């Protein structure tokens, strides 16, 4: 899957997660809002209920008031007779409302005078026969109402109708409203109305969206929407003891309201928004939520597509860059592995006094015996690996290169000391690495082990200075040594004498025995001289059958003494094939005032003198005479 597609799906996924989470949160908040909203609505609803309760009571009050004020009733009363007109009036009034259970007039002695009743709500009201009228003077309501002043009303508790001392079944919730009857300023009895409350209460608590409880002041349930546990205070002794309150209710979710009616048992209404109602509201929100999610899904597609463009481009750039870096790293690795395989060493050292190493290739172990880690841990610095005699030169060469502002230069081959204290020769190509401001950052050196090459060079050098026939030093070496000795004589007055030797009549050897024998005699002669000299003395073939002996730290008389000795040794030596041979010797010493050529001339002259004087002898050059001549 391409990066772009991955990004697209990631954005899409997060978009959806965000939308769904936000919507869930909304629903959660909504639930609370719905709940508190429905409680607010419940408060309004409670006011309605209160009003309807008031209306119900006012209605009954109005009926009592109408009776109390009725002229017919009053006229009847004046005449101390209860006429059928009054009874008809009571019946008429009872008929106006199908929920009137009883409508009575009880005189001041407690005698029921007029009683209109109805067995069940909705049935026909009828006038109770005089034979059934009772004395009610001991009943609480009679006593209570008789205490009231003119125009006042009395209310009973809302309770169940009792017939013959027992709660009537089916239950008949009843409310009584009474008022005293005054005639000409005197209290003459009471008017009382019993109201069937069942249908009113049913209407009161019926609701689709609330659970409505009508409770008394102790919060005992009277009626409720679900019609459960109703009137239990009156019906069940158990309940009275144990389940006093609306225990099961979540008080926070309930709205409580006091009904403002005059009953002694203050009634309250508790309204609880039904869960079904809340759920329905929330369900509505869920549909909304689904629409929003759908919208977000649809929007997420183009949005994710757009959002993925820039990062995808960036990513492809990063990919290319990574690829390049990888390739570079690979190339670097290849280069480094080249160093690891070869004897060459790549070094990077810092511009500090001991040249601490910041990088070195593995091949350093082959060259110096130290491991890469020995350098990276700084336990070995590069300067400490350079031969003591070469360190100053290496240092100066670097200094000079820096002064000349060189970027790259090659040191003269110098020696390093390996971990095993072996000396190796190396060739050091150094790059001086600088930063933008021209400050030296470090040095990168490419070191090659040239020890073998160096040894070959020494060998060749030696070979070039050895006479191939006699295997002693040749003229080249003698010239170099003369130069060196002459320098030391001039600079340090280090004495040095020279002896020039020439074999007498050597031509005869060639002539008589041939060149091969001549060569052989030359070899033997060189050995005779060599064997008779000290370690510091050097004998070399000056040319043909002439030999030069250089004697450092040797005065003229010592040199003459040696020449005499050599002359005798040669004379006494038995050469192969030719037997006895002699040689002539010239001796000279370096003196101030004469250069090398003049000194060599001098010794040559001495030799010539020996030849002229008969050979087989030593002649000494007179240096002072020669200087005078000059
Ligand atoms: P003198 O006593 O005067 O020195 O006599 P001489 O014969 O030694 O002197 P001369 O200079 O006349 O001759 C030197 C001879 O040495 C000539 C030459 O052929 C011979 N000679 C020089 N170099 C070599 C060599 O390498 N091998 C051989 N076999 N002979 C050589
Ligand atoms: Mg000669
Ligand atoms: Mg000779």
């Amino acid at each position: 899957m391409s990066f772009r597609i991955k990004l697209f799906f990631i954005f899409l996924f997060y978009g959806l997660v965000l939308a769904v989470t936000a919507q869930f949160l909304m629903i959660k908040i909504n639930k609370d809002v719905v709940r508190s909203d429905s409680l607010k609505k419940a408060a309004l609803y409670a006011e309605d209920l209160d009003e309807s309760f008031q209306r119900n009571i006012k209605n009954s009050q109005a009926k009592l008031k109408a009776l109390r004020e009725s002229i017919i009733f009053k006229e009847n009363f004046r005449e101390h007779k209860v006429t059928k007109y009054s009874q008809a009036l009571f019946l008429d009034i009872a008929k106006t409302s199908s929920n009137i259970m009883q409508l009575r007039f009880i005189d001041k002695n407690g005698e029921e005078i007029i009683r209109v009743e109805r067995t069940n709500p909705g049935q026909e009201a009828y006038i109770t026969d005089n034979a059934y009228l009772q004395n009610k003077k001991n009943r609480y309501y009679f006593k209570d109402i008789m205490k009231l002043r003119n125009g006042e009303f009395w209310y009973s508790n809302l309770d169940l109708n009792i017939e013959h001392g027992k709660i009537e079944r089916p239950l008949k919730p009843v409310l009584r409203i009474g008022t005293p009857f005054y005639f000409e300023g005197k209290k003459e009895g009471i008017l009382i109305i019993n109201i069937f409350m069942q249908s009113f209460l049913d209407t009161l608590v019926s609701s689709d969206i609330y659970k409505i409880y009508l409770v008394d002041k102790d919060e005992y349930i009277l009626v409720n929407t679900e019609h459960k546990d109703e009137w239990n205070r009156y019906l069940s002794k158990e309940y009275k003891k144990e389940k006093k309150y609306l225990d099961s209710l979540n008080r926070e979710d309930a709205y409580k309201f006091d009904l403002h009616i005059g009953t002694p048992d203050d009634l309250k209404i508790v309204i609880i928004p039904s869960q079904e109602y809340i759920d329905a509201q929330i369900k509505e929100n869920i549909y909304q939520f689904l629409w929003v999610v759908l919208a977000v899904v649809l929007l997420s597609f183009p949005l994710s597509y757009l959002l993925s463009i820039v990062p995808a481009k960036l990513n492809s750039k990063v990919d290319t860059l990574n690829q390049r870096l990888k390739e570079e790293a690979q190339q670097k690795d290849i280069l480094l592995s080249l160093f690891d395989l070869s004897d060459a060493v790549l070094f990077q050292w810092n511009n500090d006094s001991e040249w601490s190493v910041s990088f070195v290739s593995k091949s350093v172990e082959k060259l110096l015996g130290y491991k890469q880690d020995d350098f990276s841990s700084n336990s070995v610095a590069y300067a400490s690996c350079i031969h003591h005699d070469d360190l100053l030169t290496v240092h100066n060469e670097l200094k000079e290169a820096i002064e000349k502002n060189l970027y790259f230069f090659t040191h003269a081959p110098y020696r390093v000391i390996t971990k095993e204290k072996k000396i190796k020769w190396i060739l050091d190509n150094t790059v001086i690495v600088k930063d933008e401001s021209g400050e030296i950052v470090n040095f990168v050196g490419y070191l090659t082990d040239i020890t073998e090459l160096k040894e070959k060079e020494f060998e060749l050098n030696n070979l070039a200075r050895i006479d191939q026939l006699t295997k002693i030093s040749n003229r080249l070496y003698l010239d170099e040594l003369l130069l060196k000795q002459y320098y030391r004589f001039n600079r340090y007055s280090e004495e040095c004498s020279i002896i020039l030797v020439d074999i007498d009549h050597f031509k005869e050897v060639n002539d008589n025995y041939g060149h091969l024998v001549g060569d052989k005699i030359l070899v033997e002669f060189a050995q005779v001289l060599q064997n008779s000299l000290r370690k510091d003395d050097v004998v070399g073939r000056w040319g043909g059958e002439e030999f030069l002996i250089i004697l450092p730290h040797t005065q003229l008389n010592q040199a003459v003494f040696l020449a005499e000795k050599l002359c005798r040794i040669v004379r006494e030596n038995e050469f192969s094939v030719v037997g006895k041979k002699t040689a002539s010797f010239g001796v000279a010493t370096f003196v101030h005032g004469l250069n090398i050529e003049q000194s060599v001339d001098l010794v040559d002259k001495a030799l010539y003198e020996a030849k002229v004087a008969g050979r087989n002898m030593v002649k000494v050059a007179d240096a002072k005479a020669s200087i005078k001549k000059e």
Side-chain angles (χ1 to χ4, degrees), residues 51 98 180 269 342 381 406 420 445 520 528 545 558 566 614:
E51 222 178 276
S98 66
I269 276 184
S342 75
L406 293 182
E420 295 80 28
K520 205 171 177 325
V528 169
E545 25 69 275
Q558 291 170 312
L566 290 174

Side-chain angles (χ1 to χ4, degrees), residues 502-506 545 611:
D502 187 293
I503 305 174
D504 297 334
H505 303 303
F506 188 71
E545 25 69 275
K611 287 282 181 192

